[in-house]
Amino acid sequence: MIGIGNDHTGYELKMEIIKYFEENKIEYKDFGCGKQESSDYPIYAKAVGRALQKKECDLGILICGTGIGISIAANKMKGIRAALCHDCFSAEATRLHNNANVLAMGARVVGPGLAVKIVDTFLNSKFSGEERHSRRIQMIEEE
Ligand code: RB5
């Protein structure tokens, strides 16, 4: 199950990603926001983060204008490793090396075509499980 959340700037891009989920029969849960004038991105970062912490979702996608605020908010949460990626190389590498469980993107940074490719790459890449990467992730968790 993929959890997806966004602020007002990310609504249209989210709908493009939802179209990709539906075309590819990928199960998702939409944590908002819906179409609205203004919204606070930490609300949606926390909603998706909590769903991951409770294991209601396996991975998350977060979108704000830059992807920065929403990834900062998500990364404050225990067990959340949110990676801000605007290219496919990073989206793959962050799954392989960091076992990132959230992909963050900026709707004002990437167009929908690239964003969907980045999502596809992220979802289809797996953590390598290599000891050195596990060790480093453990060190992050220790604070
Ligand atoms: C909203 O204007 C904007 O600040 C937000 O979407 C995001 O880019 C914050 O990091």
Side-chain angles (χ1 to χ4, degrees):
M1 177 70 74
I2 312 299
I4 188 162
N6 58 283
D7 74 358
H8 55 290
T9 66
Y11 175 76
E12 262 119 48
L13 181 55
K14 175 181 70 180
M15 296 317 289
E16 292 290 332
I17 294 168
I18 284 179
K19 199 165 93 192
Y20 154 86
F21 287 158
E22 287 178 352
E23 283 167 5
N24 290 281
K25 302 194 179 357
I26 296 169
E27 282 196 317
Y28 69 92
K29 186 164 179 208
D30 182 358
F31 290 86
C33 69
K35 208 170 169 56
Q36 61 188 97
E37 260 176 30
S38 186
S39 59
D40 299 327
Y41 55 79
I43 296 170
Y44 310 99
K46 287 176 189 205
V48 170
R50 263 186 236 111
L52 288 171
Q53 288 174 329
K54 289 194 268 176
K55 301 199 190 311
E56 289 168 6
C57 291
D58 310 299
L59 292 172
I61 311 281
L62 291 173
I63 309 161
C64 67
T66 58
I68 298 171
I70 209 158
S71 58
I72 291 173
N75 277 319
K76 302 282 282 183
M77 302 178 75
K78 191 161 178 53
I80 303 304
R81 291 178 300 281
L84 175 58
C85 299
H86 291 128
D87 65 273
C88 294
F89 178 83
S90 303
E92 182 185 29
T94 198
R95 290 286 297 132
L96 291 172
H97 292 199
N98 316 124
N99 199 11
N101 48 15
V102 173
L103 168 68
M105 291 185 295
R108 291 173 173 160
V109 183
V110 275
L114 177 56
V116 168
K117 278 262 178 208
I118 292 169
V119 170
D120 185 66
T121 304
F122 186 80
L123 298 186
N124 288 298
S125 303
K126 284 195 172 56
F127 181 48
S128 71
E130 287 173 30
E131 194 279 330
R132 68 184 192 285
H133 295 310
S134 299
R135 183 179 69 237
R136 291 163 190 162
I137 293 165
Q138 186 57 38
M139 289 167 79
I140 294 170
E141 293 299 322
E142 282 160 12
E143 290 181 8

